[in-house]
Amino acid sequence: MKLLGIGSRIKHPSFGLGVVTNVTAQHYWITFIENGLETIDIDDSFEVIEAVEDEVDTVSFFEVEKILKQVLRRWSDVTEQVAIADKWKGGKLIMEPGTPTQNKEVPIDTFFHKIVMVRDRLRVMEQKINASKLDDAEKVELQQYITRIYGSLTTFNVLFKSPSDYFVGEKTK
């Protein structure tokens, strides 16, 4: 059997579908869709779906992970873990009405989760618009609405731990 290269796709009887992300003298490092990273022996039993040969050590694990995340983000509703800023953990959101009635308290983690869900659904909507059969003018118009929605949500950026997770609206010049 010829050595599989990085990027080869396999189906393992125990771990399911995966992609070879590294090769050593005795093992394949395979990132499985449902089971994460596993190391299996080169002579282990599995089905080769697509073989990439002569591609050993040409793609780093980081690059494969980055590409896998892009594919998952584009083609599924799987969301990556977004962290709340440390100062908000365990906090609560208190909504106080203008008239003397009872306040509403919501755990801030619950509120944050809902904000992240809104962001993720907007991203899926963007992808569906881009993949649709609408003409370019209609796509641009809808994208502009989505950009404005992101801009309206920038108030909630204080909740995010990482600036890379922030909502970004229209950039000013």
Side-chain angles (χ1 to χ4, degrees):
M1 178 173 105
K2 202 164 188 186
L3 197 61
L4 293 175
I6 293 171
S8 297
R9 297 182 318 135
I10 70 155
K11 183 175 183 180
H12 191 274
S14 301
F15 302 118
L17 297 173
V19 176
V20 176
T21 54
N22 197 7
V23 181
T24 65
Q26 299 173 346
H27 299 98
Y28 289 120
W29 292 29
I30 302 181
T31 302
F32 291 99
I33 292 173
E34 294 183 13
N35 293 293
L37 182 64
E38 295 287 341
T39 304
I40 64 170
D41 292 337
I42 285 182
D43 59 357
D44 201 350
S45 168
F46 53 84
E47 175 187 347
V48 176
I49 296 172
E50 181 182 5
V52 176
E53 297 175 351
D54 302 322
E55 291 292 330
V56 178
D57 295 326
T58 59
V59 180
S60 70
F61 178 74
F62 173 78
E63 290 171 311
V64 172
E65 183 179 41
K66 185 171 106 179
I67 291 167
L68 186 59
K69 282 181 181 178
Q70 288 172 343
V71 168
L72 288 172
R73 203 176 290 126
R74 181 168 185 185
W75 298 108
S76 75
D77 57 358
V78 173
T79 59
E80 53 187 280
Q81 201 66 338
V82 178
I84 190 168
D86 293 336
K87 70 180 181 179
W88 301 110
K89 289 180 182 173
K92 60 185 169 186
L93 177 66
I94 302 171
M95 293 179 270
E96 190 175 300
T99 58
T101 58
Q102 188 173 3
N103 294 345
K104 172 75 174 172
E105 291 186 11
V106 178
I108 205 147
D109 293 355
T110 301
F111 181 74
F112 177 72
H113 176 69
K114 292 187 182 293
I115 293 292
V116 170
M117 287 173 43
V118 167
R119 187 193 65 170
D120 291 342
R121 289 179 179 150
L122 278 171
R123 287 180 177 173
V124 170
M125 185 186 299
E126 273 185 297
Q127 292 163 0
K128 289 188 182 274
I129 289 168
N130 290 333
S132 75
K133 294 179 181 177
L134 295 170
D135 65 46
D136 288 343
E138 292 171 313
K139 287 181 182 181
V140 167
E141 183 181 355
L142 291 172
Q143 284 291 353
Q144 288 173 341
Y145 278 110
I146 290 174
T147 299
R148 288 186 207 119
I149 293 168
Y150 282 134
S152 298
L153 294 169
T154 57
T155 301
F156 301 112
N157 285 346
V158 297
L159 298 172
F160 292 92
K161 185 171 189 168
S162 172
S164 65
D165 292 324
Y166 285 4
F167 290 105
V168 178
E170 201 167 21
K171 305 257 185 193
T172 56
K173 293 182 180 180

